[in-house]
Structure formats: C-alpha cells, structure tokens
Amino acid sequence: MRDAAGIREKDGAASAGSTPRREDFGALCFLVVAGSVAACVVAWLWCEPPLRHRLSWAGVALRCAWFLAVTAAAGAAGIWGGWLALGSKPAFARRTLFEHALMGWMFLPGAALLARTWPAWGLPVMAVGAAAMAVSLRPLAAAVVADDEPEWKSGEFRGLYGTRITGFRPRRALAMAGCVWGAVGCAAAEDYLPAGILLGAGFFLLLWHWSGEVGIAAIDRRRESFGRGTVAGAALVLLLALLPWLARRGDSPGGALRMQTAQAAERADASARVRPHFSSVILWPPAQRVTELYFPSTHARSDADRMTKPLEIRFDGPYWYFEPPDDSPGETAHIAHGLPTDARVNMASADDGPLRMEAVERLAKPIRLSCCGELDVAVTNADAQAGPVHLGVMLRDESSPDEFMLLGFQPVASSEPGFSGRRGLGTEETVRFEIPRTGPLRRFNQITVMVVPSVDAWRGTKVAIEGFTLLPR
C-alpha cells in the first residue's frame, strides 16, 4: 500500500477533496504567517506613491495591476518557502491555501499606499483585509477549529434576563477588546501603523468567530462570488488611492497647447493676476530674542577649541526665494513676514522654472571650525507634497566672501517614502551634518541652509528652520 502522505502530496499539490486534520492546524497557521509576512514586506517596499502627478488612466490601471500582482507573488513565495520547511505536509494543497489567503493580501497594496499619504484612511482598509482573510480561511480549518478553550460555565454567568449564555469564551473576547482599545489609543496618538495592526488583529478574531457561528457551509457555497467581490473591492481601494496622481490638465498631451495659451493671456493682463509677481522675496520670521554665543573663556583661544558642551542657536534669519541664475535676492526683493509653514505663505516661480530657497543665519560672533564636530539642524516639515526633501548646509566667513565650506546634503526623514506618519501636519525632526577638521575655512559666522525638493522645483517647500546645535568634537 502506498504511503498516504505521498498520495496526498506529490510535487506539492494535494487533492481538492482531502479533509483537513486537527494536526494540520499548526501547519495552516505557519504557512499563513509566512505568506502574509512576505506579502506585507513586498507591499510596503513596492507600493509607494508616484513622484509626479502625471499618471494617465492607463498608467493608474497598470500600476494597480502591478501592485496587486507583486503582492500576490510575494505571498505565494512565502507559502512555498514555508511548505518546504515543513516536515509533515498537511492535507490541503498549497494552491488551495494560496487562494484562501489571497483574499486578505489583496488589500495590502492599498493599505501601504494610504499609510504614506492618508494614514487614517488606511485603518479601515487593514480591518477589511483582515476580516476578508478570516472569512476566507475559516473553511480550511473547519475540521480543526473546535476550540480547546472551554466555554464559560453556564451556572456562573447569565444574561440580563437570567438566560444562559452559550459560546462565550472570555479569552477571545478580552483579546478582541484589547486590540480595539489599543488601536484607538494608537490612532489618537497618530501612531497609525501599530493602530492598523491591532485593528486588523481584532477584526480577524471577530470574523473568525462570526464565520464559524454563521456556518462554514454557507461560506463555501458563495466562495466564487465572495472571491470576485473581494478582489474587485481591493482593486477599487487601490484605484481610489492613486487617483490624486492623475495628470493635471496642463500635463496631458491634449491640454498642453490650451495651458500655454492661457499662460500667455495671463502674462498679457498683469492686472488680472491673483498673485503678485516679484523677482525675489525675503521672508522674515516673527521677531524673537536673539541668542548670542559665548565660549567658556575669552582670554585664551585654546578654550574655544575645546568646546565641552553643545551650543544652541535659535534661527532668526531670513528665508530667501530667488530664481537662477541669481545667487541671492536682488536689491528690489520684496520683503514679507511669516514662516514657510504658514498656510498663507505659498511661494512659486512665475514661469514654472526652478525656484531656489535658502535660510540664512548670521552669527553675532565668528566660531572656529576646529571646535565643532557636528551641526544639527532642527526643522519643522509641513510639506504635504510627494517626494523627498533634502537639506544642504554651507558655512561661510563674511570677511572672506569667496571662501565657503559645503557640508553636503541630507534627506528630511519625514519627507521620504518610508515615513509612516501623516504629511503636512508639521513634523519636528533633526538633520545632522558632520563638520570636517580641515577645509578652506578656519572660522565661520554665517550658516546657509538650502532646501531642495526632489519634485515640483518651481515651488517653495514648506519646511521651517527652528535652530542649530553645534556639538563638540
């Protein structure tokens, strides 16, 4: 007689009519976790928002199909790897498990995309995906889900009218309640990633229990329509998340000529413009107390070279906005007051060309380069546009205008695609730059911060400089 395991599993495929056994439940959980982890990682790494608002309808559809296909392939690879790691193969087939788990994985691309753009909207998507996976997987475990946890003793717990409560399992109820309240707390703190994970876990437990109460046979009878509806719903969520990146009218090939005509008419009638036009702008922040720097002793120069504690400098300089080839605002620059993060401050190039933005801080006393090892730049990022923002720092000695030192460029972490928080709310962070020991400068009394967006270079980025911290070597 041939081995039963060999009959069930030959080249990785099991018979469709095999009945799941109790000992297969551990393998089911292991394979689902392996596939889900792989699908989550790939969806998070691949499903990023586009860098430009120039997608056509065909581009949106192709991107949706690509995100869904990559996520499904990653989940299948995770199941295949977990299957190879199992010693005793379960009764169900890999393909059957993949088809059941796919119902939840299809929502991962939409959740990953929303987590980077509108995180609060990603919470219900993760909950729906977890619920769909629970309902889809329950028939596979129909023979092995007789819970080992005993029901609450009927004599110890009764309903409001004295009737006995059946099917009540306190540990499951406490787990679901803990997940929901944990998700509410994380969402209130705007920590949306753990909130989504907890909410998904709670909904998975809820629908797992509910689908068992409703009946496994009813779910199996409607499996085909359930699968089509679930995939269609996941694709619709992804499509809606990508709609903001459709091409604007001026970006479409048919609308280019109309946009050029409109721009020409706008230039001809300068009095009808809503926004005033200036060759350059100097934006001064609100007045605040100037912080002066003092070293421990002014009698010996060597004391300045041995800085023992950080020196903090509050930024109170102007923001410069000008267009190349100029390297600074001209004498006719318009003077304004406010912060780049203010809602009423919206700087843009008049001819859609590049716009340079710099923040300039002049120090009351020069600082020797040898005393400092690092420079921290504290910023507030309220920019809601897609694409990372980089900061560049330049040190200059005004007594030698032709000499300067560029410390390089560093990204603002909250502007990068992997940022889990919500954009545009004013995220505070610190960007660090290393100061070399030697260079063209021996001292500096001016710090210039260049704010460079990766996309939409024609607009001023909503990033405000809060201050600097010089760290000793």
Coordinates of all heavy atoms in Angstrom, one line a residue, residues 283-320:
L283 N 11.7 86.5 3.1 CA 10.7 86.2 4.1 C 11.3 86.2 5.5 O 12.2 85.4 5.8 CB 10.1 84.8 3.9 CG 8.9 84.4 4.8 CD1 7.7 85.3 4.6 CD2 8.6 82.9 4.5
W284 N 10.9 87.2 6.4 CA 11.4 87.3 7.7 C 10.5 86.5 8.7 O 9.3 86.8 8.7 CB 11.6 88.7 8.1 CG 12.8 89.4 7.5 CD1 12.8 90.1 6.4 CD2 14.1 89.4 8.0 NE1 14.1 90.6 6.2 CE2 14.9 90.1 7.1 CE3 14.7 88.7 9.1 CZ2 16.3 90.3 7.3 CZ3 16.1 88.9 9.3 CH2 16.9 89.7 8.4
P285 N 11.0 85.7 9.6 CA 10.2 85.1 10.6 C 9.8 86.1 11.6 O 10.3 87.2 11.7 CB 11.1 84.0 11.2 CG 12.5 84.5 10.9 CD 12.4 85.3 9.7
P286 N 8.8 85.7 12.5 CA 8.4 86.6 13.6 C 9.6 87.0 14.5 O 10.5 86.2 14.7 CB 7.3 85.8 14.3 CG 6.8 84.8 13.3 CD 8.0 84.5 12.4
A287 N 9.5 88.2 15.0 CA 10.6 88.7 15.8 C 10.7 87.8 17.1 O 9.7 87.5 17.7 CB 10.4 90.1 16.2
Q288 N 12.0 87.5 17.5 CA 12.2 86.8 18.7 C 13.6 87.2 19.2 O 14.4 87.8 18.6 CB 12.2 85.3 18.4 CG 13.1 84.8 17.2 CD 12.8 83.4 16.8 OE1 12.7 82.5 17.7 NE2 12.7 83.1 15.6
R289 N 13.8 86.8 20.5 CA 15.1 87.2 21.1 C 16.3 86.5 20.5 O 16.2 85.3 20.2 CB 15.0 86.8 22.6 CG 16.2 87.3 23.4 CD 16.0 87.0 24.9 NE 15.8 85.6 25.1 CZ 16.8 84.7 25.3 NH1 18.1 85.2 25.3 NH2 16.6 83.4 25.6
V290 N 17.3 87.3 20.2 CA 18.5 86.7 19.5 C 19.4 86.1 20.6 O 19.6 86.6 21.6 CB 19.3 87.9 18.8 CG1 20.5 87.3 18.2 CG2 18.4 88.5 17.8
T291 N 19.8 84.9 20.3 CA 20.7 84.2 21.2 C 22.2 84.4 20.7 O 22.5 84.1 19.6 CB 20.4 82.7 21.2 OG1 19.0 82.5 21.5 CG2 21.3 81.9 22.1
E292 N 23.0 84.9 21.6 CA 24.4 85.1 21.3 C 25.2 84.0 21.9 O 24.9 83.4 22.9 CB 24.9 86.4 21.9 CG 24.2 87.6 21.2 CD 25.0 88.9 21.4 OE1 26.1 88.8 21.9 OE2 24.5 90.0 21.0
L293 N 26.3 83.7 21.3 CA 27.2 82.6 21.6 C 28.4 83.1 22.5 O 29.0 84.1 22.1 CB 27.8 81.9 20.4 CG 26.7 81.3 19.5 CD1 27.3 80.6 18.3 CD2 25.9 80.2 20.3
Y294 N 28.7 82.5 23.6 CA 29.8 82.8 24.4 C 30.5 81.5 24.8 O 29.9 80.6 25.2 CB 29.4 83.5 25.7 CG 28.8 84.9 25.4 CD1 27.4 85.1 25.3 CD2 29.6 86.0 25.3 CE1 26.9 86.3 25.1 CE2 29.1 87.3 25.1 CZ 27.8 87.4 25.0 OH 27.3 88.7 24.7
F295 N 31.8 81.5 24.6 CA 32.6 80.4 24.9 C 33.0 80.5 26.4 O 32.8 81.6 27.0 CB 33.9 80.3 24.1 CG 33.6 80.0 22.7 CD1 33.7 80.9 21.7 CD2 33.2 78.7 22.3 CE1 33.5 80.6 20.4 CE2 33.0 78.4 21.0 CZ 33.1 79.3 20.0
P296 N 33.4 79.4 27.0 CA 33.7 79.4 28.5 C 34.7 80.6 28.9 O 34.5 81.1 30.0 CB 34.3 78.1 28.8 CG 33.8 77.2 27.7 CD 33.6 78.1 26.5
S297 N 35.6 80.9 28.1 CA 36.6 81.9 28.4 C 37.0 82.6 27.1 O 37.1 82.1 26.1 CB 37.8 81.3 29.1 OG 38.8 82.3 29.3
T298 N 37.2 83.9 27.2 CA 37.6 84.7 26.1 C 39.1 85.1 26.2 O 39.6 85.9 25.3 CB 36.8 86.0 26.0 OG1 36.9 86.8 27.2 CG2 35.3 85.7 25.8
H299 N 39.8 84.6 27.2 CA 41.2 85.0 27.4 C 42.1 84.1 26.6 O 43.2 84.6 26.2 CB 41.5 85.0 28.9 CG 40.7 85.9 29.7 ND1 40.8 87.2 29.6 CD2 39.7 85.6 30.6 CE1 39.9 87.8 30.5 NE2 39.2 86.8 31.1
A300 N 41.7 82.9 26.3 CA 42.6 82.0 25.6 C 41.9 81.4 24.4 O 40.8 81.0 24.5 CB 43.1 80.9 26.5
R301 N 42.6 81.5 23.3 CA 42.0 80.9 22.1 C 41.8 79.4 22.2 O 40.9 78.9 21.6 CB 42.9 81.3 20.9 CG 42.3 80.7 19.6 CD 43.2 81.1 18.4 NE 43.2 82.5 18.2 CZ 43.8 83.1 17.2 NH1 44.6 82.4 16.4 NH2 43.8 84.5 17.1
S302 N 42.7 78.8 23.0 CA 42.6 77.3 23.0 C 41.3 76.8 23.7 O 40.9 75.7 23.5 CB 43.8 76.8 23.8 OG 43.8 77.3 25.1
D303 N 40.7 77.7 24.5 CA 39.5 77.3 25.2 C 38.4 77.1 24.1 O 37.5 76.3 24.3 CB 39.0 78.3 26.2 CG 39.9 78.3 27.4 OD1 40.6 77.3 27.7 OD2 40.0 79.3 28.1
A304 N 38.4 77.9 23.1 CA 37.4 77.8 22.1 C 37.5 76.5 21.3 O 36.6 76.1 20.7 CB 37.4 79.0 21.1
D305 N 38.7 76.0 21.2 CA 39.0 74.8 20.5 C 38.6 73.5 21.3 O 38.6 72.4 20.8 CB 40.4 74.6 20.1 CG 40.8 75.8 19.2 OD1 39.9 76.3 18.5 OD2 42.0 76.1 19.1
R306 N 38.3 73.8 22.6 CA 37.9 72.6 23.5 C 36.5 72.9 24.0 O 36.3 73.0 25.2 CB 38.9 72.5 24.6 CG 40.3 72.1 24.2 CD 41.1 71.6 25.4 NE 41.3 72.7 26.4 CZ 42.3 73.6 26.4 NH1 43.2 73.5 25.5 NH2 42.3 74.5 27.3
M307 N 35.5 72.9 23.1 CA 34.1 73.0 23.5 C 33.7 71.8 24.2 O 33.9 70.7 23.8 CB 33.3 73.2 22.2 CG 31.8 73.5 22.5 SD 30.8 73.4 21.1 CE 31.5 74.7 20.1
T308 N 33.1 72.0 25.4 CA 32.8 70.8 26.2 C 31.3 70.5 26.3 O 30.9 69.5 26.7 CB 33.2 71.1 27.7 OG1 32.7 72.3 28.1 CG2 34.8 71.2 27.7
K309 N 30.5 71.4 25.8 CA 29.0 71.2 25.8 C 28.4 71.8 24.5 O 29.0 72.7 23.9 CB 28.4 71.8 27.0 CG 28.5 73.3 27.1 CD 27.8 73.8 28.4 CE 28.0 75.3 28.5 NZ 27.3 75.8 29.7
P310 N 27.3 71.3 24.1 CA 26.7 71.8 22.8 C 26.3 73.2 22.9 O 25.9 73.7 24.0 CB 25.5 70.9 22.6 CG 25.8 69.7 23.5 CD 26.6 70.1 24.6
L311 N 26.4 73.9 21.8 CA 25.9 75.3 21.7 C 24.7 75.4 20.8 O 24.7 74.9 19.7 CB 27.0 76.2 21.1 CG 28.3 76.3 22.0 CD1 29.4 77.1 21.2 CD2 28.0 76.9 23.3
E312 N 23.6 76.0 21.4 CA 22.4 76.1 20.6 C 22.2 77.5 20.1 O 22.5 78.5 20.8 CB 21.2 75.7 21.5 CG 21.2 74.3 22.0 CD 20.0 73.9 22.8 OE1 19.1 74.8 23.0 OE2 19.9 72.7 23.2
I313 N 21.7 77.5 18.8 CA 21.5 78.8 18.2 C 20.1 78.8 17.6 O 19.7 77.9 16.9 CB 22.5 79.0 17.0 CG1 23.9 78.8 17.4 CG2 22.3 80.4 16.3 CD1 24.9 78.7 16.3
R314 N 19.3 79.7 18.1 CA 17.9 79.9 17.6 C 17.9 80.6 16.3 O 18.5 81.7 16.1 CB 17.1 80.7 18.6 CG 15.6 80.8 18.3 CD 14.9 79.4 18.4 NE 13.5 79.6 18.2 CZ 12.7 78.5 18.2 NH1 13.1 77.3 18.5 NH2 11.4 78.7 17.9
F315 N 17.3 80.0 15.3 CA 17.2 80.6 14.0 C 16.3 81.8 14.0 O 15.2 81.8 14.3 CB 16.8 79.6 12.9 CG 16.7 80.2 11.5 CD1 17.8 80.4 10.8 CD2 15.5 80.6 11.0 CE1 17.8 80.9 9.5 CE2 15.4 81.1 9.7 CZ 16.6 81.3 9.0
D316 N 16.9 83.0 13.6 CA 16.1 84.2 13.4 C 16.4 85.0 12.2 O 16.1 86.2 12.1 CB 16.3 85.1 14.7 CG 17.7 85.5 14.8 OD1 18.6 85.0 14.1 OD2 18.0 86.4 15.6
G317 N 17.0 84.3 11.2 CA 17.4 84.9 10.0 C 16.3 84.8 8.9 O 15.2 84.3 9.2
P318 N 16.5 85.4 7.7 CA 15.5 85.4 6.7 C 15.6 84.2 5.8 O 16.5 83.4 5.8 CB 15.9 86.7 5.9 CG 17.4 86.7 6.0 CD 17.7 86.2 7.4
Y319 N 14.5 83.9 5.1 CA 14.4 82.9 4.1 C 14.4 83.7 2.7 O 13.7 84.6 2.5 CB 13.1 82.1 4.2 CG 12.9 81.3 5.4 CD1 12.3 81.9 6.6 CD2 13.4 80.0 5.5 CE1 12.2 81.2 7.7 CE2 13.2 79.3 6.7 CZ 12.6 79.9 7.8 OH 12.5 79.1 8.9
W320 N 15.3 83.2 1.9 CA 15.5 83.8 0.5 C 14.8 82.9 -0.5 O 14.9 81.7 -0.5 CB 17.0 83.9 0.2 CG 17.7 84.9 1.0 CD1 17.2 85.7 1.9 CD2 19.1 85.1 0.9 NE1 18.3 86.5 2.4 CE2 19.4 86.2 1.8 CE3 20.2 84.6 0.2 CZ2 20.7 86.6 2.0 CZ3 21.5 85.1 0.4 CH2 21.7 86.1 1.3

